[in-house]
Tab-separated table of all heavy atoms in Angstrom:
chain	number	residue	atom	x	y	z
A	1	ASN	N	208.431	103.012	203.654
A	1	ASN	CA	206.989	103.251	203.854
A	1	ASN	C	206.710	103.245	205.347
A	1	ASN	O	205.894	104.032	205.837
A	1	ASN	CB	206.213	102.099	203.185
A	1	ASN	CG	206.244	102.170	201.672
A	1	ASN	OD1	206.544	103.237	201.150
A	1	ASN	ND2	206.037	101.044	201.013
A	2	ALA	N	207.418	102.396	206.140
A	2	ALA	CA	207.188	102.349	207.601
A	2	ALA	C	207.614	103.697	208.284
A	2	ALA	O	206.961	104.158	209.154
A	2	ALA	CB	207.957	101.194	208.214
A	3	LEU	N	208.759	104.244	207.780
A	3	LEU	CA	209.171	105.466	208.360
A	3	LEU	C	208.246	106.615	207.998
A	3	LEU	O	207.989	107.515	208.822
A	3	LEU	CB	210.651	105.852	207.848
A	3	LEU	CG	211.763	104.913	208.506
A	3	LEU	CD1	213.046	105.202	207.731
A	3	LEU	CD2	211.947	105.318	209.941
A	4	ALA	N	207.735	106.599	206.765
A	4	ALA	CA	206.841	107.587	206.297
A	4	ALA	C	205.436	107.347	206.876
A	4	ALA	O	204.535	108.257	206.791
A	4	ALA	CB	206.766	107.670	204.812
A	5	ARG	N	205.146	106.134	207.366
A	5	ARG	CA	203.807	105.723	207.787
A	5	ARG	C	202.739	105.871	206.682
A	5	ARG	O	201.582	106.173	206.957
A	5	ARG	CB	203.433	106.533	209.048
A	5	ARG	CG	204.357	106.349	210.230
A	5	ARG	CD	203.975	107.196	211.405
A	5	ARG	NE	205.002	107.003	212.459
A	5	ARG	CZ	205.002	107.694	213.641
A	5	ARG	NH1	204.013	108.620	213.840
A	5	ARG	NH2	205.903	107.508	214.507
A	6	LEU	N	203.265	105.772	205.447
A	6	LEU	CA	202.377	105.841	204.269
A	6	LEU	C	202.917	104.806	203.263
A	6	LEU	O	204.107	104.485	203.282
A	6	LEU	CB	202.420	107.211	203.677
A	6	LEU	CG	201.820	108.373	204.512
A	6	LEU	CD1	202.104	109.730	203.809
A	6	LEU	CD2	200.290	108.206	204.682
A	7	GLU	N	202.053	104.260	202.416
A	7	GLU	CA	202.417	103.434	201.325
A	7	GLU	C	202.866	104.290	200.128
A	7	GLU	O	202.060	104.631	199.288
A	7	GLU	CB	201.326	102.454	200.988
A	7	GLU	CG	201.006	101.432	202.002
A	7	GLU	CD	202.167	100.476	202.259
A	7	GLU	OE1	202.891	100.127	201.307
A	7	GLU	OE2	202.379	100.073	203.417
A	8	LEU	N	204.178	104.603	200.051
A	8	LEU	CA	204.651	105.572	198.967
A	8	LEU	C	205.411	104.774	197.973
A	8	LEU	O	205.337	105.116	196.760
A	8	LEU	CB	205.523	106.684	199.643
A	8	LEU	CG	204.803	107.501	200.717
A	8	LEU	CD1	205.802	108.446	201.288
A	8	LEU	CD2	203.544	108.185	200.159
A	9	SER	N	206.279	103.892	198.373
A	9	SER	CA	207.124	103.164	197.448
A	9	SER	C	206.611	101.710	197.251
A	9	SER	O	206.252	101.086	198.223
A	9	SER	CB	208.547	103.073	197.997
A	9	SER	OG	209.465	102.604	197.062
A	10	PRO	N	206.510	101.260	195.965
A	10	PRO	CA	205.975	99.930	195.736
A	10	PRO	C	206.786	98.878	196.411
A	10	PRO	O	208.033	98.863	196.401
A	10	PRO	CB	206.060	99.846	194.225
A	10	PRO	CG	207.111	100.792	193.780
A	10	PRO	CD	207.052	101.884	194.761
A	11	VAL	N	206.068	97.908	196.929
A	11	VAL	CA	206.658	96.733	197.600
A	11	VAL	C	206.055	95.534	196.932
A	11	VAL	O	204.874	95.453	196.736
A	11	VAL	CB	206.383	96.725	199.066
A	11	VAL	CG1	207.004	95.443	199.747
A	11	VAL	CG2	206.923	97.984	199.762
A	12	GLY	N	206.859	94.542	196.580
A	12	GLY	CA	206.340	93.277	195.955
A	12	GLY	C	207.416	92.195	195.920
A	12	GLY	O	208.506	92.418	196.270
A	13	VAL	N	206.983	91.149	195.471
A	13	VAL	CA	207.900	89.945	195.367
A	13	VAL	C	208.609	89.955	194.006
A	13	VAL	O	209.615	89.253	193.804
A	13	VAL	CB	207.072	88.605	195.527
A	13	VAL	CG1	206.527	88.528	196.906
A	13	VAL	CG2	205.949	88.503	194.476
A	14	ARG	N	208.142	90.702	193.033
A	14	ARG	CA	208.746	90.763	191.765
A	14	ARG	C	210.010	91.653	191.826
A	14	ARG	O	209.937	92.715	192.343
A	14	ARG	CB	207.806	91.289	190.719
A	14	ARG	CG	208.325	91.362	189.263
A	14	ARG	CD	207.266	91.690	188.298
A	14	ARG	NE	207.765	91.777	186.963
A	14	ARG	CZ	208.206	92.939	186.400
A	14	ARG	NH1	208.226	94.091	187.151
A	14	ARG	NH2	208.670	92.937	185.165
A	15	ARG	N	211.167	91.101	191.311
A	15	ARG	CA	212.442	91.772	191.407
A	15	ARG	C	212.923	92.215	190.006
A	15	ARG	O	212.765	91.458	189.051
A	15	ARG	CB	213.496	90.933	192.053
A	15	ARG	CG	213.076	90.397	193.438
A	15	ARG	CD	212.863	91.523	194.501
A	15	ARG	NE	212.547	90.929	195.732
A	15	ARG	CZ	211.744	91.511	196.599
A	15	ARG	NH1	211.122	92.617	196.304
A	15	ARG	NH2	211.521	90.930	197.839
A	16	PRO	N	213.501	93.442	189.932
A	16	PRO	CA	213.623	94.390	190.956
A	16	PRO	C	212.297	95.203	191.136
A	16	PRO	O	211.640	95.513	190.214
A	16	PRO	CB	214.686	95.339	190.537
A	16	PRO	CG	214.647	95.281	189.042
A	16	PRO	CD	214.201	93.867	188.686
A	17	THR	N	211.923	95.548	192.428
A	17	THR	CA	210.656	96.205	192.632
A	17	THR	C	210.848	97.745	192.428
A	17	THR	O	210.065	98.412	191.720
A	17	THR	CB	210.189	96.017	194.031
A	17	THR	OG1	210.005	94.547	194.188
A	17	THR	CG2	208.869	96.691	194.273
A	18	THR	N	211.915	98.324	193.058
A	18	THR	CA	212.183	99.733	192.934
A	18	THR	C	213.035	100.049	191.769
A	18	THR	O	214.242	99.668	191.737
A	18	THR	CB	212.855	100.245	194.258
A	18	THR	OG1	212.086	99.806	195.426
A	18	THR	CG2	213.014	101.778	194.235
A	19	GLY	N	212.529	100.807	190.746
A	19	GLY	CA	213.306	101.029	189.578
A	19	GLY	C	213.769	102.515	189.545
A	19	GLY	O	214.685	102.835	188.871
A	20	VAL	N	213.040	103.432	190.262
A	20	VAL	CA	213.431	104.783	190.369
A	20	VAL	C	213.393	105.238	191.779
A	20	VAL	O	212.745	104.573	192.597
A	20	VAL	CB	212.544	105.700	189.536
A	20	VAL	CG1	212.588	105.371	187.982
A	20	VAL	CG2	211.049	105.576	189.972
A	21	ALA	N	214.049	106.329	192.061
A	21	ALA	CA	214.039	106.865	193.448
A	21	ALA	C	212.727	107.561	193.751
A	21	ALA	O	212.211	108.240	192.931
A	21	ALA	CB	215.250	107.843	193.610
A	22	HIS	N	212.265	107.272	194.987
A	22	HIS	CA	211.157	107.962	195.571
A	22	HIS	C	211.633	108.780	196.711
A	22	HIS	O	212.493	108.462	197.436
A	22	HIS	CB	210.060	106.965	196.030
A	22	HIS	CG	209.443	106.230	194.887
A	22	HIS	ND1	210.090	105.180	194.194
A	22	HIS	CD2	208.188	106.251	194.347
A	22	HIS	CE1	209.295	104.680	193.259
A	22	HIS	NE2	208.139	105.300	193.330
A	23	ALA	N	210.880	110.022	196.855
A	23	ALA	CA	211.297	110.952	197.944
A	23	ALA	C	210.121	111.277	198.791
A	23	ALA	O	209.011	111.483	198.295
A	23	ALA	CB	211.931	112.170	197.342
A	24	CYS	N	210.351	111.387	200.112
A	24	CYS	CA	209.367	111.795	201.017
A	24	CYS	C	209.955	112.928	201.796
A	24	CYS	O	211.019	112.734	202.404
A	24	CYS	CB	208.931	110.609	201.989
A	24	CYS	SG	207.662	111.141	203.137
A	25	VAL	N	209.263	114.032	201.816
A	25	VAL	CA	209.774	115.238	202.446
A	25	VAL	C	208.906	115.540	203.719
A	25	VAL	O	207.690	115.576	203.685
A	25	VAL	CB	209.648	116.446	201.566
A	25	VAL	CG1	210.161	117.745	202.231
A	25	VAL	CG2	210.436	116.185	200.259
A	26	TRP	N	209.558	115.679	204.850
A	26	TRP	CA	208.920	116.116	206.083
A	26	TRP	C	208.980	117.675	206.183
A	26	TRP	O	210.031	118.232	206.226
A	26	TRP	CB	209.593	115.472	207.326
A	26	TRP	CG	209.168	114.096	207.674
A	26	TRP	CD1	208.339	113.759	208.705
A	26	TRP	CD2	209.527	112.854	207.002
A	26	TRP	NE1	208.132	112.397	208.714
A	26	TRP	CE2	208.835	111.825	207.669
A	26	TRP	CE3	210.297	112.532	205.880
A	26	TRP	CZ2	208.963	110.510	207.316
A	26	TRP	CZ3	210.418	111.259	205.535
A	26	TRP	CH2	209.733	110.264	206.240
A	27	GLY	N	207.854	118.233	206.131
A	27	GLY	CA	207.799	119.661	206.116
A	27	GLY	C	207.320	120.182	204.760
A	27	GLY	O	206.641	119.490	204.043
A	28	ASP	N	207.737	121.439	204.467
A	28	ASP	CA	207.280	122.123	203.224
A	28	ASP	C	207.997	121.543	201.996
A	28	ASP	O	209.277	121.565	201.983
A	28	ASP	CB	207.529	123.620	203.364
A	28	ASP	CG	206.939	124.387	202.217
A	28	ASP	OD1	206.169	123.798	201.390
A	28	ASP	OD2	207.283	125.566	202.049
A	29	LEU	N	207.236	121.108	201.010
A	29	LEU	CA	207.868	120.551	199.825
A	29	LEU	C	208.567	121.593	198.999
A	29	LEU	O	209.534	121.366	198.348
A	29	LEU	CB	206.811	119.825	198.987
A	29	LEU	CG	207.343	119.201	197.654
A	29	LEU	CD1	208.379	118.160	197.886
A	29	LEU	CD2	206.117	118.600	196.885
A	30	ASP	N	207.972	122.835	198.979
A	30	ASP	CA	208.561	123.889	198.167
A	30	ASP	C	209.993	124.210	198.530
A	30	ASP	O	210.839	124.424	197.671
A	30	ASP	CB	207.736	125.223	198.324
A	30	ASP	CG	206.291	125.064	197.755
A	30	ASP	OD1	206.089	124.172	196.902
A	30	ASP	OD2	205.406	125.798	198.163
A	31	GLY	N	210.346	124.180	199.842
A	31	GLY	CA	211.688	124.445	200.236
A	31	GLY	C	212.647	123.353	199.789
A	31	GLY	O	213.829	123.654	199.641
A	32	ALA	N	212.187	122.121	199.506
A	32	ALA	CA	213.032	121.030	199.078
A	32	ALA	C	213.028	120.827	197.608
A	32	ALA	O	213.751	119.920	197.048
A	32	ALA	CB	212.672	119.743	199.807
A	33	SER	N	212.126	121.541	196.848
A	33	SER	CA	212.012	121.282	195.440
A	33	SER	C	213.287	121.469	194.591
A	33	SER	O	213.674	120.570	193.792
A	33	SER	CB	210.914	122.215	194.861
A	33	SER	OG	209.673	121.841	195.418
A	34	ARG	N	213.959	122.598	194.860
A	34	ARG	CA	215.229	122.856	194.093
A	34	ARG	C	216.248	121.753	194.431
A	34	ARG	O	217.035	121.316	193.555
A	34	ARG	CB	215.831	124.217	194.512
A	34	ARG	CG	215.060	125.407	193.950
A	34	ARG	CD	215.701	126.711	194.248
A	34	ARG	NE	217.054	126.696	193.678
A	34	ARG	CZ	218.016	127.420	194.192
A	34	ARG	NH1	217.827	128.184	195.248
A	34	ARG	NH2	219.190	127.414	193.634
A	35	LEU	N	216.284	121.320	195.664
A	35	LEU	CA	217.208	120.222	196.082
A	35	LEU	C	216.917	118.938	195.358
A	35	LEU	O	217.766	118.249	194.879
A	35	LEU	CB	217.149	120.061	197.612
A	35	LEU	CG	218.179	119.190	198.293
A	35	LEU	CD1	219.585	119.620	197.988
A	35	LEU	CD2	217.997	119.095	199.779
A	36	LEU	N	215.612	118.598	195.255
A	36	LEU	CA	215.215	117.348	194.616
A	36	LEU	C	215.389	117.486	193.085
A	36	LEU	O	215.674	116.508	192.423
A	36	LEU	CB	213.718	117.060	194.933
A	36	LEU	CG	213.528	116.601	196.412
A	36	LEU	CD1	212.083	116.427	196.702
A	36	LEU	CD2	214.230	115.206	196.596
A	37	ASP	N	215.233	118.706	192.565
A	37	ASP	CA	215.525	118.935	191.163
A	37	ASP	C	217.015	118.632	190.824
A	37	ASP	O	217.287	117.992	189.813
A	37	ASP	CB	215.206	120.387	190.708
A	37	ASP	CG	213.756	120.641	190.691
A	37	ASP	OD1	212.974	119.696	190.560
A	37	ASP	OD2	213.382	121.883	190.712
A	38	TRP	N	217.887	119.090	191.733
A	38	TRP	CA	219.295	118.836	191.537
A	38	TRP	C	219.618	117.323	191.713
A	38	TRP	O	220.406	116.734	190.913
A	38	TRP	CB	220.091	119.696	192.546
A	38	TRP	CG	221.547	119.387	192.558
A	38	TRP	CD1	222.450	119.641	191.583
A	38	TRP	CD2	222.305	118.862	193.614
A	38	TRP	NE1	223.708	119.258	191.952
A	38	TRP	CE2	223.659	118.775	193.210
A	38	TRP	CE3	221.961	118.431	194.919
A	38	TRP	CZ2	224.686	118.270	194.046
A	38	TRP	CZ3	223.008	117.968	195.737
A	38	TRP	CH2	224.311	117.859	195.357
A	39	ILE	N	219.002	116.704	192.667
A	39	ILE	CA	219.281	115.278	192.900
A	39	ILE	C	218.727	114.449	191.710
A	39	ILE	O	219.291	113.482	191.336
A	39	ILE	CB	218.589	114.800	194.208
A	39	ILE	CG1	219.376	115.482	195.363
A	39	ILE	CG2	218.630	113.315	194.357
A	39	ILE	CD1	218.788	115.186	196.730
A	40	GLY	N	217.571	114.914	191.074
A	40	GLY	CA	217.075	114.209	189.927
A	40	GLY	C	215.851	113.334	190.245
A	40	GLY	O	215.636	112.397	189.544
A	41	VAL	N	215.172	113.640	191.303
A	41	VAL	CA	213.942	112.916	191.616
A	41	VAL	C	212.742	113.532	190.890
A	41	VAL	O	212.520	114.746	191.080
A	41	VAL	CB	213.640	112.835	193.141
A	41	VAL	CG1	212.320	112.104	193.485
A	41	VAL	CG2	214.822	112.218	193.872
A	42	LEU	N	212.051	112.782	190.094
A	42	LEU	CA	210.956	113.335	189.304
A	42	LEU	C	209.826	113.833	190.247
A	42	LEU	O	209.592	113.255	191.263
A	42	LEU	CB	210.419	112.313	188.324
A	42	LEU	CG	211.423	111.775	187.299
A	42	LEU	CD1	210.804	110.682	186.470
A	42	LEU	CD2	211.913	112.884	186.415
A	43	PRO	N	209.156	114.907	189.773
A	43	PRO	CA	208.000	115.459	190.658
A	43	PRO	C	206.996	114.471	191.012
A	43	PRO	O	206.454	114.451	192.099
A	43	PRO	CB	207.460	116.583	189.799
A	43	PRO	CG	208.674	117.055	188.932
A	43	PRO	CD	209.465	115.757	188.654
A	44	ARG	N	206.750	113.517	190.089
A	44	ARG	CA	205.644	112.537	190.342
A	44	ARG	C	206.062	111.469	191.452
A	44	ARG	O	205.206	110.735	191.905
A	44	ARG	CB	205.173	111.822	189.070
A	44	ARG	CG	206.240	110.985	188.432
A	44	ARG	CD	205.649	110.225	187.211
A	44	ARG	NE	206.559	109.394	186.545
A	44	ARG	CZ	207.328	109.784	185.528
A	44	ARG	NH1	207.319	111.052	185.149
A	44	ARG	NH2	208.172	108.953	184.917
A	45	HIS	N	207.374	111.497	191.743
A	45	HIS	CA	207.850	110.539	192.726
A	45	HIS	C	208.218	111.260	193.976
A	45	HIS	O	208.920	110.677	194.839
A	45	HIS	CB	209.112	109.817	192.229
A	45	HIS	CG	208.791	108.948	191.041
A	45	HIS	ND1	209.671	108.786	189.968
A	45	HIS	CD2	207.703	108.191	190.744
A	45	HIS	CE1	209.128	107.965	189.120
A	45	HIS	NE2	207.964	107.604	189.518
A	46	ARG	N	207.745	112.535	194.213
A	46	ARG	CA	207.929	113.283	195.477
A	46	ARG	C	206.681	113.245	196.254
A	46	ARG	O	205.562	113.522	195.799
A	46	ARG	CB	208.414	114.709	195.129
A	46	ARG	CG	209.544	114.798	194.236
A	46	ARG	CD	209.864	116.277	193.813
A	46	ARG	NE	210.922	116.409	192.792
A	46	ARG	CZ	211.293	117.478	192.306
A	46	ARG	NH1	210.691	118.632	192.621
A	46	ARG	NH2	212.187	117.475	191.342
A	47	PHE	N	206.795	113.079	197.557
A	47	PHE	CA	205.699	112.985	198.461
A	47	PHE	C	205.991	113.829	199.680
A	47	PHE	O	207.125	114.044	200.034
A	47	PHE	CB	205.370	111.575	198.901
A	47	PHE	CG	205.216	110.648	197.705
A	47	PHE	CD1	206.262	109.797	197.305
A	47	PHE	CD2	204.011	110.525	196.995
A	47	PHE	CE1	206.147	108.959	196.246
A	47	PHE	CE2	203.883	109.683	195.989
A	47	PHE	CZ	204.990	108.888	195.540
A	48	VAL	N	204.936	114.367	200.291
A	48	VAL	CA	205.037	115.172	201.450
A	48	VAL	C	204.457	114.441	202.693
A	48	VAL	O	203.337	113.949	202.668
A	48	VAL	CB	204.280	116.561	201.315
A	48	VAL	CG1	204.473	117.416	202.561
A	48	VAL	CG2	204.860	117.254	200.079
């Protein structure tokens, strides 16, 4: 979140906090969509 300067990935004291991968894309998301599809990051967990 600090690198993205946005609150994108949940942070908390309850463990485990992160259960799925979240992605933040710098630049155009369309260019990275096929790459994220291959990696397996769900669209709802992709941020620009």
